[in-house]
Amino acid sequence: MNRLETNLPGLSMENPIMPASGCFGFGEEFAKLYDLNELGAIALKGTTQEARYGNETPRVAETSSGMLNAIGLQNPGVETVINEKLSWLEKYTVPLLANISGSTMEDYERTAAALSAHKRVCALELNISCPNVKEGGITFGTDPELAAELTKRVKTVSHVPVYVKLSPNVTNVTTLAKAVEKAGADGLSMINTVTGMKIDIQTGRPLLANGTGGLSGPAVKPIAIRMIYEVRQATDLPIIGMGGISSVEDVIEFFMAGANAVAVGTANFTNPFICLELIEGLEKWATEKSLSNIQDLHINEVKTS
Amino acid sequence: MKKNNMTIYSNKKIANSIFEMVLEGEIVYDIERPGQFVHIKTADESPFLLRRPLSICDADKKAGRMTVIYRAGGAGTRLFAEKKAGLSLDVLGPLGNGFAINGTEVGKRAVLVGGGVGVPPLYGLAKALTTKGINVVTVLGFNDADTIFYEEKFKELGDVYTCTVDGSAGYKGMVTDVMKREHIDCDWLYACGPKPMLRALECQYPEAKGSLSLEERMGCGIGACLACVCHLQEDPSGREYRKVCSDGPVFPWREIAL
């Protein structure tokens, strides 16, 4: 019996733990440390039609129990991702979730069509919530109508299920979730980073070259838990939960809030072995609790009255 | 590369805000070259998520020890300063590519230039070069007399020129001023320090052989997060880049846009 086996649209996973997009590159660095097939899945680095350098440095700034980043979607472009990164990943069997971004709807469509046609890509993660690029990204993630139209158009061209990655930088995340569900999304992943800023008091200037950045790490976990909980009350779509996960207890909390799988982001930077440790720890916990499958966990676990 | 607990053998203040920490553990045996670095967690449970990249100053494989030098400037590194001998630290390393010295020829002279906390990796390099039979001249730049460290240690290995920005010790001025005044010419030039210093060196010695080591804010330290990227001189605003952590931190002169 595999207590951790998790089946979501497009993603048949041995366990529900995956590294989050942007925190794991395309896996090459971590493949030197462990067997990538141990992971439930891998959310690949955000990919755009053309190659991007991203923002100037400094691109990261540490904050209390968190980290701000403003990488700016640096990636080699969809062609190189297919020819080099995905070809390299062919030697693994771990399911791949390809994260896509763009400046226009046409960009998203082209990137989605190309990546989803690759035999190693099992699902797409539509990034409509990157706070660190000037065009596209988050503008699609804060307007329910635009988010729905983009989802519909990507769904039309995609060969694989589409997960929409939601932004926490909205007043009502449920409205967005419902909008993309209606437009045909197969799942949700949430949350992306929370827009923030840090000022260097010596210079009086923002520490990040980009001015603002996305806050991640344990500092944002309560926001993620609350938003996943809210969205779970409004939809049955599968949710890949993320935001500050760094312990088995965190994973359990995300499941209780309503997540069906989790992604681990910033914690990979502190401990490159964190995903493996969480998989092992979760397996042990599920065995101790005699839970036949981890998916049984979130049902009616949270009582608000 | 390993993630291991290393035991603090000693941890002492050697100049104003500057500390020298000697660590014991398996990671020492994996060190290949001077100029590599380790990525250290500040505490088990701390509000500081990111590790701190510290260059390896010296390694003694016989004793199983390595030395790192850090400036306790921020709240995270001040936590290091409080640690007593006997405690252990979570260390990832060794990381990065160090200084390549195989091109240097015996009997030639290598000039090593360090600025502030850029000085430490040059000590291991100076030892490696002198062991190979290369004459080493070191130029050390500090802010003031209170922040000078390792001057005596470098003197054991060759001539040392020390300068301070405020003139409170040694020559007054920048490393490049001293080098011009003392007519220090370089067959091989190695440097580590702030970018303006590296830029000035590259300007003054446009033909130099050797390499430079960069300091940069880092996230993962292993090349995945793209926090520490830099542009190339041949493509200063384009899409080509190098990662300081995994492609560097040591690069040939004239490769990186400084």
Side-chain angles (χ1 to χ4, degrees), chain A residues 29-30 33 51 53 56-57 59-60 62 65 71 74 207 269-271, chain B residues 1 3 47-52 222-223 225-226 229 231 239 241 243:
Chain A
E29 292 78 17
F30 290 85
L33 308 181
Y53 179 82
E56 295 305 322
T57 56
R59 292 173 162 193
V60 294
E62 197 178 47
S65 296
I71 306 298
Q74 182 164 30
L207 206 139
F269 302 159
T270 314
N271 175 8
Chain B
M1 194 272 285
K3 178 179 163 297
F48 312 110
L49 292 188
L50 299 177
R51 289 169 182 269
R52 298 298 188 270
I222 61 171
C225 76
L226 303 177
V229 298
H231 288 288
R239 292 164 184 167
Y241 64 94
K243 302 183 243 189

PDB file of all heavy atoms in Angstrom, chain A residues 29-30 33 51 53 56-57 59-60 62 65 71 74 207 269-271, chain B residues 1 3 47-52 222-223 225-226 229 231 239 241 243:
ATOM      1  N   GLU A  29      20.635  20.974 -10.925  1.00  0.00           N
ATOM      2  CA  GLU A  29      21.485  21.162  -9.737  1.00  0.00           C
ATOM      3  C   GLU A  29      21.148  20.129  -8.667  1.00  0.00           C
ATOM      4  O   GLU A  29      22.033  19.600  -7.999  1.00  0.00           O
ATOM      5  CB  GLU A  29      21.297  22.578  -9.177  1.00  0.00           C
ATOM      6  CG  GLU A  29      21.825  23.684 -10.083  1.00  0.00           C
ATOM      7  CD  GLU A  29      20.900  24.023 -11.251  1.00  0.00           C
ATOM      8  OE1 GLU A  29      19.709  23.638 -11.209  1.00  0.00           O
ATOM      9  OE2 GLU A  29      21.376  24.651 -12.212  1.00  0.00           O
ATOM     10  N   PHE A  30      19.851  19.853  -8.503  1.00  0.00           N
ATOM     11  CA  PHE A  30      19.432  18.929  -7.445  1.00  0.00           C
ATOM     12  C   PHE A  30      19.691  17.467  -7.836  1.00  0.00           C
ATOM     13  O   PHE A  30      19.823  16.609  -6.970  1.00  0.00           O
ATOM     14  CB  PHE A  30      17.961  19.172  -7.091  1.00  0.00           C
ATOM     15  CG  PHE A  30      17.757  20.480  -6.372  1.00  0.00           C
ATOM     16  CD1 PHE A  30      17.602  21.664  -7.074  1.00  0.00           C
ATOM     17  CD2 PHE A  30      17.758  20.528  -4.985  1.00  0.00           C
ATOM     18  CE1 PHE A  30      17.449  22.878  -6.419  1.00  0.00           C
ATOM     19  CE2 PHE A  30      17.604  21.735  -4.321  1.00  0.00           C
ATOM     20  CZ  PHE A  30      17.443  22.914  -5.035  1.00  0.00           C
ATOM     21  N   LEU A  33      22.430  15.879  -6.226  1.00  0.00           N
ATOM     22  CA  LEU A  33      22.292  15.593  -4.797  1.00  0.00           C
ATOM     23  C   LEU A  33      21.439  14.364  -4.513  1.00  0.00           C
ATOM     24  O   LEU A  33      21.651  13.668  -3.534  1.00  0.00           O
ATOM     25  CB  LEU A  33      21.681  16.798  -4.068  1.00  0.00           C
ATOM     26  CG  LEU A  33      22.348  18.154  -4.294  1.00  0.00           C
ATOM     27  CD1 LEU A  33      21.646  19.233  -3.493  1.00  0.00           C
ATOM     28  CD2 LEU A  33      23.818  18.086  -3.892  1.00  0.00           C
ATOM     29  N   ALA A  51      13.834  34.010 -24.569  1.00  0.00           N
ATOM     30  CA  ALA A  51      14.742  33.959 -23.415  1.00  0.00           C
ATOM     31  C   ALA A  51      14.676  35.279 -22.665  1.00  0.00           C
ATOM     32  O   ALA A  51      14.515  36.339 -23.273  1.00  0.00           O
ATOM     33  CB  ALA A  51      16.165  33.697 -23.896  1.00  0.00           C
ATOM     34  N   TYR A  53      16.523  37.617 -19.381  1.00  0.00           N
ATOM     35  CA  TYR A  53      17.582  37.744 -18.374  1.00  0.00           C
ATOM     36  C   TYR A  53      16.985  37.971 -17.001  1.00  0.00           C
ATOM     37  O   TYR A  53      17.513  37.547 -15.987  1.00  0.00           O
ATOM     38  CB  TYR A  53      18.528  38.914 -18.726  1.00  0.00           C
ATOM     39  CG  TYR A  53      19.626  39.108 -17.709  1.00  0.00           C
ATOM     40  CD1 TYR A  53      20.776  38.316 -17.750  1.00  0.00           C
ATOM     41  CD2 TYR A  53      19.512  40.060 -16.695  1.00  0.00           C
ATOM     42  CE1 TYR A  53      21.781  38.474 -16.811  1.00  0.00           C
ATOM     43  CE2 TYR A  53      20.514  40.216 -15.744  1.00  0.00           C
ATOM     44  CZ  TYR A  53      21.647  39.422 -15.815  1.00  0.00           C
ATOM     45  OH  TYR A  53      22.638  39.565 -14.867  1.00  0.00           O
ATOM     46  N   GLU A  56      17.872  43.119 -12.674  1.00  0.00           N
ATOM     47  CA  GLU A  56      19.248  43.281 -12.211  1.00  0.00           C
ATOM     48  C   GLU A  56      19.349  42.842 -10.742  1.00  0.00           C
ATOM     49  O   GLU A  56      18.345  42.709 -10.055  1.00  0.00           O
ATOM     50  CB  GLU A  56      19.673  44.754 -12.357  1.00  0.00           C
ATOM     51  CG  GLU A  56      19.729  45.250 -13.820  1.00  0.00           C
ATOM     52  CD  GLU A  56      20.632  44.389 -14.705  1.00  0.00           C
ATOM     53  OE1 GLU A  56      21.696  43.932 -14.243  1.00  0.00           O
ATOM     54  OE2 GLU A  56      20.252  44.163 -15.876  1.00  0.00           O
ATOM     55  N   THR A  57      20.576  42.650 -10.266  1.00  0.00           N
ATOM     56  CA  THR A  57      20.780  42.295  -8.861  1.00  0.00           C
ATOM     57  C   THR A  57      20.920  43.575  -8.036  1.00  0.00           C
ATOM     58  O   THR A  57      21.284  44.611  -8.603  1.00  0.00           O
ATOM     59  CB  THR A  57      22.039  41.426  -8.699  1.00  0.00           C
ATOM     60  OG1 THR A  57      23.151  42.116  -9.243  1.00  0.00           O
ATOM     61  CG2 THR A  57      21.873  40.095  -9.396  1.00  0.00           C
ATOM     62  N   ARG A  59      18.685  40.648  -6.286  1.00  0.00           N
ATOM     63  CA  ARG A  59      17.413  40.028  -6.619  1.00  0.00           C
ATOM     64  C   ARG A  59      16.775  39.343  -5.422  1.00  0.00           C
ATOM     65  O   ARG A  59      15.637  38.886  -5.519  1.00  0.00           O
ATOM     66  CB  ARG A  59      17.639  38.954  -7.688  1.00  0.00           C
ATOM     67  CG  ARG A  59      18.045  39.478  -9.024  1.00  0.00           C
ATOM     68  CD  ARG A  59      18.399  38.309  -9.926  1.00  0.00           C
ATOM     69  NE  ARG A  59      18.401  38.704 -11.325  1.00  0.00           N
ATOM     70  CZ  ARG A  59      18.433  37.843 -12.319  1.00  0.00           C
ATOM     71  NH1 ARG A  59      18.479  36.540 -12.078  1.00  0.00           N
ATOM     72  NH2 ARG A  59      18.427  38.268 -13.560  1.00  0.00           N
ATOM     73  N   VAL A  60      17.521  39.157  -4.365  1.00  0.00           N
ATOM     74  CA  VAL A  60      16.934  38.557  -3.167  1.00  0.00           C
ATOM     75  C   VAL A  60      17.273  39.403  -1.949  1.00  0.00           C
ATOM     76  O   VAL A  60      18.320  40.056  -1.891  1.00  0.00           O
ATOM     77  CB  VAL A  60      17.425  37.102  -2.906  1.00  0.00           C
ATOM     78  CG1 VAL A  60      16.952  36.172  -3.983  1.00  0.00           C
ATOM     79  CG2 VAL A  60      18.915  37.032  -2.725  1.00  0.00           C
ATOM     80  N   GLU A  62      16.672  39.038   2.408  1.00  0.00           N
ATOM     81  CA  GLU A  62      16.101  38.257   3.496  1.00  0.00           C
ATOM     82  C   GLU A  62      15.235  39.160   4.364  1.00  0.00           C
ATOM     83  O   GLU A  62      15.562  40.325   4.584  1.00  0.00           O
ATOM     84  CB  GLU A  62      17.237  37.678   4.324  1.00  0.00           C
ATOM     85  CG  GLU A  62      16.819  36.554   5.217  1.00  0.00           C
ATOM     86  CD  GLU A  62      18.012  36.008   5.964  1.00  0.00           C
ATOM     87  OE1 GLU A  62      18.788  36.820   6.507  1.00  0.00           O
ATOM     88  OE2 GLU A  62      18.185  34.799   5.982  1.00  0.00           O
ATOM     89  N   SER A  65      11.780  35.628   8.875  1.00  0.00           N
ATOM     90  CA  SER A  65      11.135  34.358   8.508  1.00  0.00           C
ATOM     91  C   SER A  65      10.668  34.323   7.061  1.00  0.00           C
ATOM     92  O   SER A  65       9.729  33.614   6.720  1.00  0.00           O
ATOM     93  CB  SER A  65       9.943  34.059   9.427  1.00  0.00           C
ATOM     94  OG  SER A  65      10.406  33.881  10.734  1.00  0.00           O
ATOM     95  N   ILE A  71      13.485  37.881  -9.186  1.00  0.00           N
ATOM     96  CA  ILE A  71      14.332  37.311 -10.240  1.00  0.00           C
ATOM     97  C   ILE A  71      13.873  37.866 -11.585  1.00  0.00           C
ATOM     98  O   ILE A  71      14.684  38.266 -12.405  1.00  0.00           O
ATOM     99  CB  ILE A  71      14.245  35.759 -10.236  1.00  0.00           C
ATOM    100  CG1 ILE A  71      14.557  35.174  -8.851  1.00  0.00           C
ATOM    101  CG2 ILE A  71      15.151  35.159 -11.322  1.00  0.00           C
ATOM    102  CD1 ILE A  71      15.925  35.423  -8.308  1.00  0.00           C
ATOM    103  N   GLN A  74      13.705  34.938 -15.221  1.00  0.00           N
ATOM    104  CA  GLN A  74      14.858  34.571 -16.044  1.00  0.00           C
ATOM    105  C   GLN A  74      14.701  33.127 -16.519  1.00  0.00           C
ATOM    106  O   GLN A  74      14.444  32.220 -15.723  1.00  0.00           O
ATOM    107  CB  GLN A  74      16.135  34.688 -15.220  1.00  0.00           C
ATOM    108  CG  GLN A  74      17.380  34.354 -16.035  1.00  0.00           C
ATOM    109  CD  GLN A  74      18.651  34.836 -15.359  1.00  0.00           C
ATOM    110  OE1 GLN A  74      18.726  34.910 -14.146  1.00  0.00           O
ATOM    111  NE2 GLN A  74      19.636  35.176 -16.146  1.00  0.00           N
ATOM    112  N   LEU A 207      16.059  47.727  -1.218  1.00  0.00           N
ATOM    113  CA  LEU A 207      17.209  46.840  -1.304  1.00  0.00           C
ATOM    114  C   LEU A 207      17.254  46.087  -2.637  1.00  0.00           C
ATOM    115  O   LEU A 207      18.321  45.852  -3.189  1.00  0.00           O
ATOM    116  CB  LEU A 207      17.172  45.859  -0.133  1.00  0.00           C
ATOM    117  CG  LEU A 207      18.535  45.338   0.258  1.00  0.00           C
ATOM    118  CD1 LEU A 207      18.663  45.281   1.753  1.00  0.00           C
ATOM    119  CD2 LEU A 207      18.772  43.977  -0.352  1.00  0.00           C
ATOM    120  N   PHE A 269      16.175  26.299  -0.630  1.00  0.00           N
ATOM    121  CA  PHE A 269      17.392  27.120  -0.588  1.00  0.00           C
ATOM    122  C   PHE A 269      18.112  26.950   0.746  1.00  0.00           C
ATOM    123  O   PHE A 269      19.330  27.028   0.823  1.00  0.00           O
ATOM    124  CB  PHE A 269      17.065  28.601  -0.795  1.00  0.00           C
ATOM    125  CG  PHE A 269      16.343  28.898  -2.090  1.00  0.00           C
ATOM    126  CD1 PHE A 269      15.620  30.052  -2.247  1.00  0.00           C
ATOM    127  CD2 PHE A 269      16.409  28.001  -3.156  1.00  0.00           C
ATOM    128  CE1 PHE A 269      14.956  30.333  -3.446  1.00  0.00           C
ATOM    129  CE2 PHE A 269      15.754  28.271  -4.349  1.00  0.00           C
ATOM    130  CZ  PHE A 269      15.017  29.436  -4.493  1.00  0.00           C
ATOM    131  N   THR A 270      17.329  26.750   1.800  1.00  0.00           N
ATOM    132  CA  THR A 270      17.929  26.559   3.118  1.00  0.00           C
ATOM    133  C   THR A 270      18.464  25.136   3.242  1.00  0.00           C
ATOM    134  O   THR A 270      19.547  24.915   3.765  1.00  0.00           O
ATOM    135  CB  THR A 270      16.870  26.781   4.221  1.00  0.00           C
ATOM    136  OG1 THR A 270      16.155  27.974   3.921  1.00  0.00           O
ATOM    137  CG2 THR A 270      17.502  26.888   5.586  1.00  0.00           C
ATOM    138  N   ASN A 271      17.685  24.207   2.750  1.00  0.00           N
ATOM    139  CA  ASN A 271      18.053  22.799   2.848  1.00  0.00           C
ATOM    140  C   ASN A 271      17.736  22.108   1.529  1.00  0.00           C
ATOM    141  O   ASN A 271      16.583  21.780   1.261  1.00  0.00           O
ATOM    142  CB  ASN A 271      17.266  22.143   3.995  1.00  0.00           C
ATOM    143  CG  ASN A 271      17.512  20.651   4.067  1.00  0.00           C
ATOM    144  OD1 ASN A 271      18.382  20.114   3.357  1.00  0.00           O
ATOM    145  ND2 ASN A 271      16.748  19.969   4.907  1.00  0.00           N
TER     146      ASN A 271
ATOM    147  N   MET B   1      29.959  17.921  -2.767  1.00  0.00           N
ATOM    148  CA  MET B   1      29.207  18.815  -1.881  1.00  0.00           C
ATOM    149  C   MET B   1      28.396  18.010  -0.866  1.00  0.00           C
ATOM    150  O   MET B   1      27.750  17.049  -1.223  1.00  0.00           O
ATOM    151  CB  MET B   1      28.272  19.676  -2.742  1.00  0.00           C
ATOM    152  CG  MET B   1      27.690  20.848  -2.015  1.00  0.00           C
ATOM    153  SD  MET B   1      26.157  20.460  -1.169  1.00  0.00           S
ATOM    154  CE  MET B   1      25.048  20.386  -2.551  1.00  0.00           C
ATOM    155  N   LYS B   3      26.013  18.276   2.975  1.00  0.00           N
ATOM    156  CA  LYS B   3      25.373  19.088   4.006  1.00  0.00           C
ATOM    157  C   LYS B   3      25.658  18.353   5.305  1.00  0.00           C
ATOM    158  O   LYS B   3      25.214  17.230   5.498  1.00  0.00           O
ATOM    159  CB  LYS B   3      23.875  19.175   3.753  1.00  0.00           C
ATOM    160  CG  LYS B   3      23.099  19.963   4.791  1.00  0.00           C
ATOM    161  CD  LYS B   3      21.626  19.975   4.402  1.00  0.00           C
ATOM    162  CE  LYS B   3      20.726  20.354   5.546  1.00  0.00           C
ATOM    163  NZ  LYS B   3      20.749  19.426   6.684  1.00  0.00           N
ATOM    164  N   PRO B  47      14.898  33.403  12.617  1.00  0.00           N
ATOM    165  CA  PRO B  47      14.079  34.067  11.592  1.00  0.00           C
ATOM    166  C   PRO B  47      14.846  34.270  10.294  1.00  0.00           C
ATOM    167  O   PRO B  47      14.281  34.726   9.319  1.00  0.00           O
ATOM    168  CB  PRO B  47      13.733  35.414  12.243  1.00  0.00           C
ATOM    169  CG  PRO B  47      14.817  35.662  13.222  1.00  0.00           C
ATOM    170  CD  PRO B  47      15.261  34.319  13.708  1.00  0.00           C
ATOM    171  N   PHE B  48      16.142  33.906  10.290  1.00  0.00           N
ATOM    172  CA  PHE B  48      16.934  34.079   9.078  1.00  0.00           C
ATOM    173  C   PHE B  48      16.917  32.792   8.275  1.00  0.00           C
ATOM    174  O   PHE B  48      17.493  31.792   8.684  1.00  0.00           O
ATOM    175  CB  PHE B  48      18.365  34.490   9.414  1.00  0.00           C
ATOM    176  CG  PHE B  48      18.419  35.618  10.400  1.00  0.00           C
ATOM    177  CD1 PHE B  48      18.866  35.414  11.685  1.00  0.00           C
ATOM    178  CD2 PHE B  48      17.975  36.886  10.038  1.00  0.00           C
ATOM    179  CE1 PHE B  48      18.898  36.450  12.605  1.00  0.00           C
ATOM    180  CE2 PHE B  48      17.996  37.924  10.960  1.00  0.00           C
ATOM    181  CZ  PHE B  48      18.453  37.711  12.241  1.00  0.00           C
ATOM    182  N   LEU B  49      16.241  32.830   7.138  1.00  0.00           N
ATOM    183  CA  LEU B  49      16.071  31.612   6.347  1.00  0.00           C
ATOM    184  C   LEU B  49      17.307  31.240   5.563  1.00  0.00           C
ATOM    185  O   LEU B  49      17.628  30.079   5.385  1.00  0.00           O
ATOM    186  CB  LEU B  49      14.970  31.827   5.304  1.00  0.00           C
ATOM    187  CG  LEU B  49      13.551  31.995   5.782  1.00  0.00           C
ATOM    188  CD1 LEU B  49      12.633  31.992   4.571  1.00  0.00           C
ATOM    189  CD2 LEU B  49      13.186  30.849   6.709  1.00  0.00           C
ATOM    190  N   LEU B  50      17.967  32.258   5.036  1.00  0.00           N
ATOM    191  CA  LEU B  50      19.032  31.980   4.072  1.00  0.00           C
ATOM    192  C   LEU B  50      20.354  31.687   4.767  1.00  0.00           C
ATOM    193  O   LEU B  50      20.656  32.248   5.820  1.00  0.00           O
ATOM    194  CB  LEU B  50      19.192  33.173   3.125  1.00  0.00           C
ATOM    195  CG  LEU B  50      17.960  33.503   2.285  1.00  0.00           C
ATOM    196  CD1 LEU B  50      18.217  34.748   1.433  1.00  0.00           C
ATOM    197  CD2 LEU B  50      17.575  32.338   1.389  1.00  0.00           C
ATOM    198  N   ARG B  51      21.099  30.813   4.139  1.00  0.00           N
ATOM    199  CA  ARG B  51      22.440  30.536   4.624  1.00  0.00           C
ATOM    200  C   ARG B  51      23.335  31.731   4.312  1.00  0.00           C
ATOM    201  O   ARG B  51      22.972  32.588   3.509  1.00  0.00           O
ATOM    202  CB  ARG B  51      22.987  29.288   3.917  1.00  0.00           C
ATOM    203  CG  ARG B  51      22.305  28.015   4.363  1.00  0.00           C
ATOM    204  CD  ARG B  51      22.655  26.841   3.477  1.00  0.00           C
ATOM    205  NE  ARG B  51      21.933  25.669   3.949  1.00  0.00           N
ATOM    206  CZ  ARG B  51      22.407  24.808   4.844  1.00  0.00           C
ATOM    207  NH1 ARG B  51      23.632  24.942   5.302  1.00  0.00           N
ATOM    208  NH2 ARG B  51      21.688  23.799   5.251  1.00  0.00           N
ATOM    209  N   ARG B  52      24.500  31.766   4.931  1.00  0.00           N
ATOM    210  CA  ARG B  52      25.453  32.837   4.665  1.00  0.00           C
ATOM    211  C   ARG B  52      26.660  32.247   3.935  1.00  0.00           C
ATOM    212  O   ARG B  52      27.295  31.320   4.446  1.00  0.00           O
ATOM    213  CB  ARG B  52      25.917  33.479   5.985  1.00  0.00           C
ATOM    214  CG  ARG B  52      24.786  34.126   6.796  1.00  0.00           C
ATOM    215  CD  ARG B  52      24.138  35.270   6.040  1.00  0.00           C
ATOM    216  NE  ARG B  52      23.189  36.050   6.815  1.00  0.00           N
ATOM    217  CZ  ARG B  52      21.879  35.814   6.921  1.00  0.00           C
ATOM    218  NH1 ARG B  52      21.353  34.761   6.315  1.00  0.00           N
ATOM    219  NH2 ARG B  52      21.094  36.605   7.614  1.00  0.00           N
ATOM    220  N   ILE B 222      23.753  26.857  -4.934  1.00  0.00           N
ATOM    221  CA  ILE B 222      24.086  25.711  -5.790  1.00  0.00           C
ATOM    222  C   ILE B 222      23.679  25.913  -7.254  1.00  0.00           C
ATOM    223  O   ILE B 222      23.759  24.995  -8.058  1.00  0.00           O
ATOM    224  CB  ILE B 222      23.460  24.395  -5.252  1.00  0.00           C
ATOM    225  CG1 ILE B 222      21.923  24.481  -5.205  1.00  0.00           C
ATOM    226  CG2 ILE B 222      24.016  24.074  -3.860  1.00  0.00           C
ATOM    227  CD1 ILE B 222      21.252  23.142  -4.888  1.00  0.00           C
ATOM    228  N   GLY B 223      23.194  27.113  -7.571  1.00  0.00           N
ATOM    229  CA  GLY B 223      22.921  27.408  -8.989  1.00  0.00           C
ATOM    230  C   GLY B 223      21.471  27.293  -9.419  1.00  0.00           C
ATOM    231  O   GLY B 223      21.163  27.410 -10.600  1.00  0.00           O
ATOM    232  N   CYS B 225      18.602  29.033  -7.933  1.00  0.00           N
ATOM    233  CA  CYS B 225      17.622  30.106  -7.693  1.00  0.00           C
ATOM    234  C   CYS B 225      17.839  31.345  -8.544  1.00  0.00           C
ATOM    235  O   CYS B 225      16.963  32.193  -8.632  1.00  0.00           O
ATOM    236  CB  CYS B 225      17.583  30.466  -6.213  1.00  0.00           C
ATOM    237  SG  CYS B 225      18.975  31.456  -5.654  1.00  0.00           S
ATOM    238  N   LEU B 226      19.001  31.468  -9.166  1.00  0.00           N
ATOM    239  CA  LEU B 226      19.307  32.596 -10.048  1.00  0.00           C
ATOM    240  C   LEU B 226      19.319  33.954  -9.335  1.00  0.00           C
ATOM    241  O   LEU B 226      19.041  34.982  -9.936  1.00  0.00           O
ATOM    242  CB  LEU B 226      18.337  32.640 -11.240  1.00  0.00           C
ATOM    243  CG  LEU B 226      18.281  31.378 -12.102  1.00  0.00           C
ATOM    244  CD1 LEU B 226      17.230  31.528 -13.194  1.00  0.00           C
ATOM    245  CD2 LEU B 226      19.639  31.074 -12.725  1.00  0.00           C
ATOM    246  N   VAL B 229      23.153  36.117 -10.331  1.00  0.00           N
ATOM    247  CA  VAL B 229      23.653  36.134 -11.707  1.00  0.00           C
ATOM    248  C   VAL B 229      24.379  37.448 -12.016  1.00  0.00           C
ATOM    249  O   VAL B 229      24.166  38.466 -11.361  1.00  0.00           O
ATOM    250  CB  VAL B 229      22.512  35.957 -12.725  1.00  0.00           C
ATOM    251  CG1 VAL B 229      21.826  34.613 -12.544  1.00  0.00           C
ATOM    252  CG2 VAL B 229      21.511  37.085 -12.620  1.00  0.00           C
ATOM    253  N   HIS B 231      26.123  39.823 -15.541  1.00  0.00           N
ATOM    254  CA  HIS B 231      26.265  39.984 -16.986  1.00  0.00           C
ATOM    255  C   HIS B 231      27.710  39.731 -17.425  1.00  0.00           C
ATOM    256  O   HIS B 231      28.635  39.823 -16.618  1.00  0.00           O
ATOM    257  CB  HIS B 231      25.905  41.413 -17.394  1.00  0.00           C
ATOM    258  CG  HIS B 231      24.441  41.734 -17.321  1.00  0.00           C
ATOM    259  ND1 HIS B 231      23.523  41.225 -18.210  1.00  0.00           N
ATOM    260  CD2 HIS B 231      23.734  42.530 -16.477  1.00  0.00           C
ATOM    261  CE1 HIS B 231      22.313  41.706 -17.929  1.00  0.00           C
ATOM    262  NE2 HIS B 231      22.414  42.491 -16.869  1.00  0.00           N
ATOM    263  N   ARG B 239      21.181  38.664 -22.636  1.00  0.00           N
ATOM    264  CA  ARG B 239      20.593  37.538 -21.917  1.00  0.00           C
ATOM    265  C   ARG B 239      21.620  36.545 -21.399  1.00  0.00           C
ATOM    266  O   ARG B 239      21.291  35.656 -20.639  1.00  0.00           O
ATOM    267  CB  ARG B 239      19.622  36.797 -22.839  1.00  0.00           C
ATOM    268  CG  ARG B 239      18.396  37.623 -23.152  1.00  0.00           C
ATOM    269  CD  ARG B 239      17.683  37.040 -24.350  1.00  0.00           C
ATOM    270  NE  ARG B 239      16.545  37.882 -24.715  1.00  0.00           N
ATOM    271  CZ  ARG B 239      15.889  37.767 -25.859  1.00  0.00           C
ATOM    272  NH1 ARG B 239      16.247  36.843 -26.732  1.00  0.00           N
ATOM    273  NH2 ARG B 239      14.882  38.565 -26.127  1.00  0.00           N
ATOM    274  N   TYR B 241      24.569  35.107 -19.194  1.00  0.00           N
ATOM    275  CA  TYR B 241      24.880  35.388 -17.792  1.00  0.00           C
ATOM    276  C   TYR B 241      25.744  34.288 -17.194  1.00  0.00           C
ATOM    277  O   TYR B 241      25.926  33.224 -17.792  1.00  0.00           O
ATOM    278  CB  TYR B 241      23.589  35.509 -16.976  1.00  0.00           C
ATOM    279  CG  TYR B 241      22.782  34.227 -16.908  1.00  0.00           C
ATOM    280  CD1 TYR B 241      22.947  33.338 -15.846  1.00  0.00           C
ATOM    281  CD2 TYR B 241      21.880  33.884 -17.908  1.00  0.00           C
ATOM    282  CE1 TYR B 241      22.233  32.156 -15.792  1.00  0.00           C
ATOM    283  CE2 TYR B 241      21.161  32.700 -17.857  1.00  0.00           C
ATOM    284  CZ  TYR B 241      21.328  31.840 -16.797  1.00  0.00           C
ATOM    285  OH  TYR B 241      20.628  30.664 -16.740  1.00  0.00           O
ATOM    286  N   LYS B 243      26.378  32.457 -13.184  1.00  0.00           N
ATOM    287  CA  LYS B 243      25.936  32.405 -11.803  1.00  0.00           C
ATOM    288  C   LYS B 243      27.180  32.468 -10.913  1.00  0.00           C
ATOM    289  O   LYS B 243      28.097  31.665 -11.098  1.00  0.00           O
ATOM    290  CB  LYS B 243      25.186  31.100 -11.539  1.00  0.00           C
ATOM    291  CG  LYS B 243      23.970  30.909 -12.453  1.00  0.00           C
ATOM    292  CD  LYS B 243      23.231  29.643 -12.108  1.00  0.00           C
ATOM    293  CE  LYS B 243      23.249  28.677 -13.246  1.00  0.00           C
ATOM    294  NZ  LYS B 243      22.362  27.511 -13.064  1.00  0.00           N
TER     295      LYS B 243
END
